[in-house]
Amino acid sequence: MLFSKYKWQVQRPEMQTASMLAKELSVSPFVAALMAGRGIRDSEEGRQFLNGSLEHSHDPYLMQGMAEAVPRIRKALEDQEHILIYGDYDADGVSSTSLMIHLMRHLGASYDIYIPHRSNEGYGLHNHALDWAHQQGVSLIITVDTGISAVDQIAYANQLGIDVIVTDHHEPPEQLPEAYALINPKIPTCPYPFKGLAGVGVAYKLAQALLGDPPKEWLEIVAIGTIADLMPLIGENRILVKHGIDSMRQTRFVGIRSLLEVGGVEVDKVNAVNIAFSMAPRINASGRLDHAGRAVTLLTTESPEDADRLAWELDGLNKERQQVVELIVQEALGMIGERYGAGELPPVIVVAGEGWNVGVVGIVASKILERFYRPVVVLGIDPETGNCKGSARSIPGLDIYEALCACRDSMDHFGGHPSAAGMSLHRDQLAAFEQGLHEFAGQVLREEHFVPVCEADAECTISDVTIEVIEQLDQLGPFGMANAVPKIIIREAMVKEAKKIGKEGKHLKLRLQQNQEQLDAISFGMGHLADILPEGTKVDVLGELSINEWNGSRKTQLMLQDISAPYRQVFDYRGIQQPVEEIKRWRTELEPHLRCPAHRSAIVYTRESSPEIKSQLYEMCLWVYDRNAGVLPDNDAAEEHGADDISVLFVLDVPETAEQLQTLLTVFQSVPNIFLVHPTRMPREKLLIPSRDQFKQLYILLAGMAASPVSENEVIARLRQKTALSSRMLAKVLDVFEELVFIERSKGLVTFIPKPEKKPLDASRHFRELSELAEMEQHLLHADTKQLTHWMMSRSKGVS
């Protein structure tokens, strides 16, 4: 049984609405059903969703503070004041700053930019930067993607005689700064109808207010920041991003073109997914490992040579970032394991490490959240000052910004969104900070919040999934937050082939079949699942549809995101080398799919097995074969946890008798997954299921060779020559004949007894045991995988 990582929920659209949309919008029933499932209720809303133009964007002057900001900027232009654009170091901040540079150039302004260094300065406005601006003669600062929480800093700017216009989209605090103008749609008193703009979206609305109709290509930069900052691609964001992507396919920005080419993206086919997974990480890498100014230069340069150089530099930084992230993730996981072991995790995981690069702690938090599915805070500690800077990532059940507000006294600074936030504090406050988060989360989170949910748009069969259907789905793009790529579920598909692909076999490729229709499925980072998806496995799969184009051929393809096999399974790994090492690897890699923590994993073996079992697998439940009891617990874990809640059973050795096997299957009758990793035997040791004719032949042969005492070894050797039976089989035949008093054995000699009392073979206990043992070994040691699996399933159900 493979457990799915997520709880699957299928959208059930109102079919009457779907029929109406299909008819009035001239879209396929499938696309109409997806639109209805995403909350579109009438044809006008549907038309705007499919074909929304910039005319549908909102008047920028609806945004509070815009009426004050625009005249102040125009006055600065008229008076030739020196303006400072103050941005942030993430991809949204880089995009916002870049957009404002294009705006300042367009307006002919005298300007400078300032982006704080993530590691050396941290997020937000800083007084030392204001001092520098004052020295440069700056009289107006325009913040982008930052500033809404800078109460003290803006008060300091006011003292210096510098006006500050804040453009931001982060959650506003209770006390707002006394800026010249505050432009943020999330301010409670702001009447702007769309609250989901990115920082670059707010900056674009300022450009709209100043220019009326900014150059269309600026929307390319808006698209980058909006997608990178995970803003919802609905409403006005959808319009801005859609037009931005359309423009990007013929981009005149040399930096954008170079960045796409370095990422292996065809410029004329770029989409939101490419921006999210190719462009955004490289832009973010600049601010994480170096200074975000390098990415700003890339997005604003007019030199193709500089663009190529900078794009490759960002690519190198991104590769370095990936390595740094992996190292910190492993350290953090080690800390979590050491601190909590196999026990219950707290409602919020907080980890902090000295020397951790604070530029990547947000990515680390995301990866740990994905592993444990609970809110995570990761902090880097400066070993000299003790100052900590960190990032938080949360799950839908907990607004992390609210949680931080509840323990604000332990932090120097914080800010963010419901799902992501940043903070700084001293290491002396870590314990209080963590305790405060636990107390808040403990009141909010319930058990159901810790089960990740994945929403699917439809259930299909493979025959439903055609190239035409996939092409129709493009009408719903661009895809991103709040408008995800459509996900489908296919149930009871048969695995025809499963193999590991890519470097080091990290990825998985499946060929699935229903009736006569086949579909390829790809899953990145799930190559280890090939170990537990043998041919013939029936699976349910969830994923996103795509078209695979190769050498002029186009085929449908499923990008697999989750999989389950909702029935008991037996996995055939007989004769595998180093089974103890493989068991450790399987448990680590397959835990999310087999749900096999140490206390739910059992191993059964003989007492003669290698001592490394107890030394290396001591945390697991160890069981040993016993001639009288069948199987017995062999360590404290097995005694404590018993067999009822075991998820995976590893059979390390073949049972010595059929009774032991039946006892094993009875004790572990509810276990959903059985791995057979026992060694195989050489054919010369094979037992055959005995027949009466076979025993009659052996009886006659014995009568001819053991009328007088003969060495048992010689008897067995001569019988092997005449019958080709194994020595092991013949020794057990002699046990039967001795029990029936057909022969006598004494001091290694065998003597045939003439005219013995007639007895039926099945009167012999040894004969019955040999029959059962030979049948058991025939399947456990010599049957093919399909026969073995069927036999094990039958025995598990009590059918022999």
Coordinates of all heavy atoms in Angstrom, one line a residue, residues 128-188:
H128 N 21.1 54.5 8.8 CA 22.4 54.8 8.2 C 22.2 55.1 6.7 O 22.9 55.9 6.1 CB 23.4 53.7 8.4 CG 23.1 52.4 7.8 ND1 22.4 51.4 8.4 CD2 23.3 51.9 6.5 CE1 22.3 50.3 7.6 NE2 22.8 50.7 6.4
A129 N 21.3 54.4 6.1 CA 21.0 54.6 4.6 C 20.3 56.0 4.5 O 20.6 56.7 3.5 CB 20.1 53.5 4.1
L130 N 19.5 56.4 5.4 CA 18.9 57.7 5.4 C 20.0 58.8 5.6 O 19.9 59.9 4.9 CB 17.8 57.9 6.5 CG 16.6 56.9 6.3 CD1 15.7 57.0 7.5 CD2 15.9 57.1 5.0
D131 N 20.9 58.6 6.4 CA 22.1 59.5 6.6 C 22.8 59.7 5.3 O 23.2 60.8 4.9 CB 23.0 59.0 7.7 CG 22.4 59.2 9.1 OD1 21.5 60.0 9.3 OD2 22.8 58.4 10.0
W132 N 23.1 58.5 4.6 CA 23.8 58.6 3.3 C 22.9 59.4 2.3 O 23.5 60.2 1.6 CB 24.0 57.1 2.8 CG 24.6 57.1 1.4 CD1 25.9 57.2 1.1 CD2 23.8 56.9 0.2 NE1 26.0 57.1 -0.3 CE2 24.7 56.9 -0.9 CE3 22.4 56.7 -0.1 CZ2 24.3 56.8 -2.2 CZ3 22.0 56.6 -1.4 CH2 23.0 56.6 -2.4
A133 N 21.6 59.1 2.3 CA 20.8 59.8 1.3 C 20.8 61.3 1.6 O 20.9 62.1 0.6 CB 19.3 59.3 1.4
H134 N 20.8 61.7 2.9 CA 20.8 63.1 3.2 C 22.1 63.7 2.7 O 22.1 64.9 2.2 CB 20.7 63.2 4.7 CG 20.6 64.7 5.2 ND1 19.7 65.5 4.8 CD2 21.5 65.4 6.1 CE1 19.8 66.7 5.4 NE2 20.9 66.6 6.2
Q135 N 23.2 63.0 2.9 CA 24.5 63.5 2.4 C 24.6 63.7 0.9 O 25.2 64.5 0.3 CB 25.7 62.6 2.8 CG 25.9 62.5 4.3 CD 26.8 61.4 4.7 OE1 27.3 60.6 3.9 NE2 27.0 61.2 6.0
Q136 N 23.8 62.8 0.2 CA 23.7 62.9 -1.3 C 22.8 64.0 -1.8 O 22.6 64.1 -3.0 CB 23.3 61.5 -1.9 CG 24.2 60.4 -1.5 CD 25.6 60.6 -1.9 OE1 25.9 60.9 -3.1 NE2 26.6 60.4 -1.0
G137 N 22.1 64.6 -0.9 CA 21.2 65.7 -1.3 C 19.8 65.2 -1.6 O 19.1 65.9 -2.3
V138 N 19.5 64.0 -1.2 CA 18.1 63.5 -1.5 C 17.1 64.2 -0.7 O 17.3 64.4 0.6 CB 18.1 62.0 -1.1 CG1 16.6 61.5 -1.2 CG2 19.0 61.2 -2.1
S139 N 16.0 64.6 -1.3 CA 14.9 65.3 -0.6 C 13.6 64.5 -0.7 O 12.7 64.9 0.0 CB 14.7 66.7 -1.1 OG 14.5 66.7 -2.5
L140 N 13.6 63.5 -1.5 CA 12.4 62.6 -1.7 C 12.8 61.2 -1.8 O 13.7 60.9 -2.7 CB 11.6 63.1 -2.9 CG 10.4 62.2 -3.2 CD1 9.3 62.2 -2.1 CD2 9.7 62.6 -4.5
I141 N 12.3 60.3 -1.0 CA 12.5 58.9 -1.1 C 11.2 58.2 -1.5 O 10.2 58.5 -0.9 CB 13.0 58.3 0.3 CG1 14.4 58.8 0.6 CG2 13.0 56.8 0.2 CD1 14.9 58.4 2.0
I142 N 11.3 57.4 -2.4 CA 10.1 56.5 -2.8 C 10.5 55.1 -2.5 O 11.5 54.5 -3.1 CB 9.8 56.7 -4.3 CG1 9.5 58.1 -4.7 CG2 8.6 55.8 -4.7 CD1 9.3 58.4 -6.2
T143 N 9.8 54.5 -1.6 CA 10.1 53.1 -1.2 C 9.3 52.2 -2.2 O 8.2 52.5 -2.5 CB 9.8 52.7 0.2 OG1 8.4 52.6 0.4 CG2 10.4 53.7 1.2
V144 N 9.8 51.0 -2.5 CA 9.1 50.0 -3.3 C 9.2 48.7 -2.6 O 10.4 48.3 -2.2 CB 9.6 50.0 -4.7 CG1 9.1 51.2 -5.5 CG2 11.1 49.9 -4.8
D145 N 8.1 48.0 -2.4 CA 8.1 46.7 -1.8 C 8.6 46.7 -0.3 O 9.1 45.7 0.2 CB 8.9 45.7 -2.6 CG 8.6 44.2 -2.2 OD1 7.4 43.9 -1.8 OD2 9.5 43.4 -2.2
T146 N 8.6 47.9 0.3 CA 9.0 48.0 1.7 C 8.6 49.3 2.2 O 8.1 50.2 1.5 CB 10.6 47.9 1.7 OG1 11.0 47.8 3.1 CG2 11.2 49.1 1.1
G147 N 8.7 49.4 3.6 CA 8.4 50.7 4.2 C 7.2 50.8 5.1 O 7.1 51.7 5.9
I148 N 6.2 49.9 4.9 CA 5.0 50.1 5.6 C 5.1 49.9 7.1 O 4.3 50.4 7.9 CB 3.9 49.1 5.1 CG1 2.5 49.6 5.5 CG2 4.2 47.7 5.5 CD1 2.1 50.9 5.0
S149 N 6.2 49.3 7.6 CA 6.4 49.1 9.0 C 7.5 50.0 9.6 O 7.8 49.9 10.7 CB 6.8 47.6 9.3 OG 5.8 46.7 8.9
A150 N 8.1 50.9 8.7 CA 9.2 51.7 9.1 C 8.8 52.9 9.9 O 9.1 54.1 9.4 CB 10.1 52.0 7.9
V151 N 8.2 52.8 11.0 CA 7.6 53.9 11.8 C 8.8 54.8 12.2 O 8.8 56.0 12.0 CB 6.8 53.4 13.0 CG1 6.4 54.6 13.8 CG2 5.6 52.6 12.5
D152 N 9.8 54.2 12.9 CA 10.9 55.0 13.5 C 11.8 55.6 12.4 O 12.2 56.7 12.5 CB 11.7 54.1 14.4 CG 10.9 53.7 15.7 OD1 9.9 54.4 16.0 OD2 11.3 52.7 16.3
Q153 N 12.0 54.8 11.4 CA 12.9 55.2 10.3 C 12.3 56.4 9.5 O 13.1 57.4 9.2 CB 13.3 54.1 9.4 CG 14.1 53.0 10.0 CD 13.3 52.0 10.9 OE1 12.0 52.1 10.9 NE2 13.9 51.1 11.6
I154 N 11.1 56.4 9.3 CA 10.4 57.5 8.5 C 10.4 58.7 9.4 O 10.5 59.8 8.9 CB 9.1 57.0 7.9 CG1 9.3 56.0 6.8 CG2 8.3 58.2 7.4 CD1 8.1 55.4 6.2
A155 N 10.2 58.5 10.7 CA 10.2 59.7 11.6 C 11.6 60.3 11.6 O 11.7 61.5 11.6 CB 9.9 59.2 13.0
Y156 N 12.6 59.5 11.5 CA 14.0 60.0 11.4 C 14.2 60.7 10.1 O 14.8 61.8 10.0 CB 15.0 58.8 11.5 CG 16.4 59.3 11.5 CD1 17.0 60.1 12.5 CD2 17.3 58.9 10.5 CE1 18.3 60.5 12.5 CE2 18.6 59.3 10.5 CZ 19.1 60.1 11.5 OH 20.4 60.5 11.5
A157 N 13.7 60.2 9.0 CA 13.8 60.9 7.7 C 13.1 62.2 7.7 O 13.6 63.2 7.2 CB 13.1 60.0 6.6
N158 N 12.0 62.3 8.4 CA 11.3 63.6 8.5 C 12.2 64.6 9.3 O 12.2 65.8 8.9 CB 10.0 63.4 9.3 CG 8.9 62.6 8.5 OD1 9.0 62.6 7.2 ND2 8.0 62.0 9.1
Q159 N 12.9 64.1 10.3 CA 13.8 65.0 11.0 C 14.9 65.6 10.1 O 15.4 66.7 10.3 CB 14.4 64.3 12.2 CG 13.4 63.9 13.3 CD 14.1 63.1 14.4 OE1 15.3 63.0 14.5 NE2 13.3 62.5 15.2
L160 N 15.3 64.7 9.1 CA 16.4 65.1 8.2 C 15.8 66.0 7.1 O 16.6 66.5 6.3 CB 17.0 63.9 7.6 CG 17.8 62.9 8.5 CD1 18.3 61.7 7.8 CD2 19.0 63.7 9.2
G161 N 14.5 66.2 7.1 CA 13.9 67.0 6.0 C 13.7 66.3 4.7 O 13.6 66.9 3.6
I162 N 13.6 65.0 4.8 CA 13.4 64.1 3.6 C 12.0 63.6 3.6 O 11.5 63.1 4.6 CB 14.4 62.9 3.6 CG1 15.8 63.4 3.6 CG2 14.1 62.0 2.4 CD1 16.8 62.2 3.7
D163 N 11.2 63.9 2.5 CA 9.9 63.4 2.4 C 10.0 61.9 1.9 O 10.8 61.6 1.1 CB 9.1 64.2 1.4 CG 8.7 65.6 1.9 OD1 8.7 65.7 3.1 OD2 8.5 66.4 1.0
V164 N 9.1 61.1 2.5 CA 9.1 59.7 2.1 C 7.7 59.3 1.5 O 6.7 59.5 2.2 CB 9.4 58.8 3.3 CG1 9.4 57.3 2.8 CG2 10.8 59.1 3.8
I165 N 7.7 58.7 0.3 CA 6.5 58.1 -0.2 C 6.6 56.6 -0.2 O 7.6 56.1 -0.7 CB 6.2 58.6 -1.7 CG1 5.9 60.1 -1.7 CG2 5.1 57.8 -2.3 CD1 5.9 60.7 -3.1
V166 N 5.8 56.0 0.5 CA 5.9 54.5 0.7 C 4.9 53.9 -0.3 O 3.7 54.2 -0.4 CB 5.4 54.1 2.1 CG1 5.3 52.6 2.2 CG2 6.5 54.6 3.1
T167 N 5.5 53.0 -1.1 CA 4.7 52.0 -1.9 C 5.0 50.6 -1.5 O 6.2 50.2 -1.5 CB 4.9 52.2 -3.4 OG1 6.2 51.6 -3.8 CG2 4.9 53.6 -3.9
D168 N 4.0 49.9 -1.0 CA 4.3 48.6 -0.4 C 3.0 47.8 -0.5 O 2.0 48.3 -0.9 CB 4.7 48.8 1.1 CG 5.4 47.6 1.7 OD1 5.5 46.6 1.0 OD2 5.9 47.7 2.8
H169 N 3.2 46.5 -0.3 CA 2.0 45.6 -0.3 C 2.0 44.6 0.9 O 1.1 43.8 1.0 CB 2.0 44.8 -1.6 CG 3.0 43.7 -1.7 ND1 2.7 42.4 -2.0 CD2 4.3 43.7 -1.4 CE1 3.8 41.6 -2.0 NE2 4.8 42.4 -1.6
H170 N 2.9 44.8 1.8 CA 3.0 43.9 3.0 C 1.9 44.3 4.0 O 1.3 45.4 3.9 CB 4.4 44.0 3.6 CG 5.4 43.4 2.8 ND1 6.2 44.1 1.9 CD2 5.9 42.1 2.7 CE1 7.1 43.4 1.3 NE2 6.9 42.1 1.8
E171 N 1.6 43.4 4.9 CA 0.6 43.6 5.9 C 0.9 44.9 6.7 O 2.0 44.9 7.3 CB 0.4 42.4 6.8 CG 0.0 41.1 6.1 CD -1.4 41.3 5.6 OE1 -2.2 42.0 6.1 OE2 -1.7 40.6 4.5
P172 N 0.1 45.8 6.8 CA 0.3 47.1 7.6 C 0.2 46.8 9.1 O -0.6 46.0 9.5 CB -0.7 48.0 7.1 CG -1.9 47.2 6.6 CD -1.2 45.9 6.1
P173 N 1.1 47.4 9.9 CA 1.0 47.2 11.3 C -0.1 48.1 11.9 O -0.7 48.9 11.2 CB 2.4 47.7 11.8 CG 2.8 48.7 10.8 CD 2.3 48.2 9.5
E174 N -0.3 48.0 13.2 CA -1.4 48.8 13.8 C -1.0 50.3 13.7 O -1.8 51.1 13.5 CB -1.5 48.3 15.3 CG -2.1 47.0 15.4 CD -2.3 46.6 16.9 OE1 -2.1 47.4 17.7 OE2 -2.6 45.4 17.1
Q175 N 0.3 50.6 14.0 CA 0.8 51.9 13.9 C 1.4 52.1 12.6 O 2.4 51.5 12.2 CB 1.8 52.3 15.0 CG 2.3 53.7 15.0 CD 3.3 54.0 16.0 OE1 3.7 53.1 16.9 NE2 3.9 55.2 16.0
L176 N 0.9 53.1 11.8 CA 1.5 53.3 10.5 C 2.5 54.5 10.5 O 2.4 55.4 11.4 CB 0.3 53.7 9.5 CG -0.7 52.6 9.2 CD1 -1.8 53.2 8.4 CD2 0.0 51.5 8.4
P177 N 3.5 54.4 9.7 CA 4.5 55.5 9.7 C 3.9 56.8 9.2 O 2.9 56.8 8.4 CB 5.6 55.0 8.8 CG 4.9 54.0 7.9 CD 3.8 53.4 8.7
E178 N 4.4 58.0 9.7 CA 3.9 59.3 9.3 C 4.7 59.7 8.0 O 5.5 60.7 8.0 CB 4.1 60.3 10.4 CG 3.2 59.9 11.6 CD 3.3 61.0 12.7 OE1 4.0 62.0 12.5 OE2 2.7 60.8 13.7
A179 N 4.4 59.0 6.9 CA 5.1 59.3 5.6 C 4.3 60.4 4.9 O 3.2 60.8 5.3 CB 5.2 58.1 4.8
Y180 N 5.0 61.0 3.9 CA 4.3 62.0 3.1 C 3.1 61.4 2.4 O 2.0 62.0 2.3 CB 5.3 62.6 2.0 CG 4.7 63.8 1.3 CD1 4.9 65.1 1.7 CD2 3.9 63.6 0.2 CE1 4.4 66.2 1.1 CE2 3.4 64.7 -0.5 CZ 3.6 66.0 0.0 OH 3.1 67.1 -0.7
A181 N 3.2 60.1 1.9 CA 2.1 59.4 1.4 C 2.3 57.9 1.6 O 3.5 57.4 1.5 CB 1.9 59.7 -0.1
L182 N 1.3 57.2 1.9 CA 1.3 55.8 2.1 C 0.4 55.2 1.0 O -0.8 55.4 1.0 CB 0.8 55.3 3.5 CG 1.6 55.7 4.7 CD1 0.9 55.3 6.0 CD2 3.0 55.1 4.6
I183 N 1.1 54.3 0.1 CA 0.3 53.7 -0.9 C 0.4 52.2 -0.7 O 1.5 51.6 -1.0 CB 0.9 54.1 -2.3 CG1 0.8 55.6 -2.5 CG2 0.1 53.4 -3.4 CD1 1.5 56.1 -3.8
N184 N -0.6 51.6 -0.2 CA -0.6 50.2 0.0 C -2.1 49.7 0.1 O -2.9 50.2 0.9 CB 0.0 49.9 1.4 CG 0.1 48.4 1.7 OD1 -0.7 47.6 1.2 ND2 1.0 48.0 2.5
P185 N -2.5 48.9 -0.9 CA -4.0 48.5 -0.9 C -4.4 47.8 0.3 O -5.7 47.7 0.5 CB -4.0 47.7 -2.2 CG -2.7 47.2 -2.4 CD -1.7 48.3 -1.9
K186 N -3.5 47.3 1.1 CA -3.9 46.5 2.3 C -4.2 47.4 3.5 O -4.6 46.9 4.5 CB -2.9 45.5 2.6 CG -2.8 44.4 1.6 CD -1.8 43.3 1.9 CE -1.8 42.2 0.8 NZ -0.7 41.2 1.1
I187 N -3.9 48.7 3.4 CA -4.2 49.6 4.5 C -5.8 49.6 4.7 O -6.5 49.7 3.7 CB -3.8 51.0 4.2 CG1 -2.2 51.1 4.2 CG2 -4.3 52.0 5.2 CD1 -1.7 52.4 3.8
P188 N -6.3 49.3 5.9 CA -7.7 49.1 6.1 C -8.6 50.2 5.5 O -9.7 49.9 5.0 CB -7.8 49.0 7.6 CG -6.5 48.6 8.1 CD -5.5 49.2 7.1

